[in-house]
Amino acid sequence: MTDPVQQRIADIVAGSDVVLFMKGTPLFPQCGFSSRAIAILEHLGVSYETVDVLQDQGIRQGIKEFSDWPTIPQLYVKGEFVGGSDIMMEMYEAGELHQLMVDGGVAAAN
């Protein structure tokens, strides 16, 4: 990757088992979709990192290109793009998101 923003995103995604690119922070989500995504991760009880795209316009635009997905939030597990909040909700309700975390050996939150 030659684009420095894309390289930063790749490094962030590779640096943690679970990364959520969101609007706002876990304590103060700035949109309903980000709030729902955080609620799902909290309910799963997994350790995760977040990136507030509102703090960095390069990341905000770059993540859409990185994943080829037009909306935020975006969830990555073990370096793989999972989806946005609607996909997270569908997978959560079906038990698939929990299974993905288990199969990936994602650590429980402390």
Side-chain angles (χ1 to χ4, degrees):
M1 271 183 218
T2 55
D3 182 344
V5 171
Q6 294 296 307
Q7 186 59 55
R8 270 187 29 225
I9 293 170
D11 292 345
I12 292 167
V13 168
S16 298
D17 284 351
V18 180
V19 180
L20 182 69
F21 290 83
M22 64 179 290
K23 293 178 181 176
T25 66
L27 291 177
F28 296 104
Q30 297 297 307
C31 77
F33 298 110
S34 291
S35 180
R36 179 167 37 167
I38 289 295
I40 291 167
L41 291 174
E42 287 292 322
H43 197 268
L44 288 172
V46 295
S47 181
Y48 62 91
E49 299 295 324
T50 63
V51 176
D52 181 359
V53 300
L54 299 178
Q55 299 300 313
D56 187 325
Q57 287 302 311
I59 295 279
R60 185 176 187 174
Q61 292 308 313
I63 192 64
K64 296 173 185 180
E65 297 164 16
F66 186 82
S67 62
D68 197 25
W69 190 259
T71 59
I72 296 166
Q74 294 186 12
L75 178 68
Y76 290 79
V77 176
K78 294 288 188 170
E80 297 295 320
F81 176 61
V82 175
S85 65
D86 290 346
I87 291 172
M88 287 176 68
M89 182 59 87
E90 290 172 15
M91 291 179 70
Y92 173 74
E93 289 173 344
E96 296 168 358
L97 195 54
H98 171 75
Q99 196 59 49
L100 179 67
M101 301 296 180
V102 170
D103 292 349
V106 173
N110 293 333

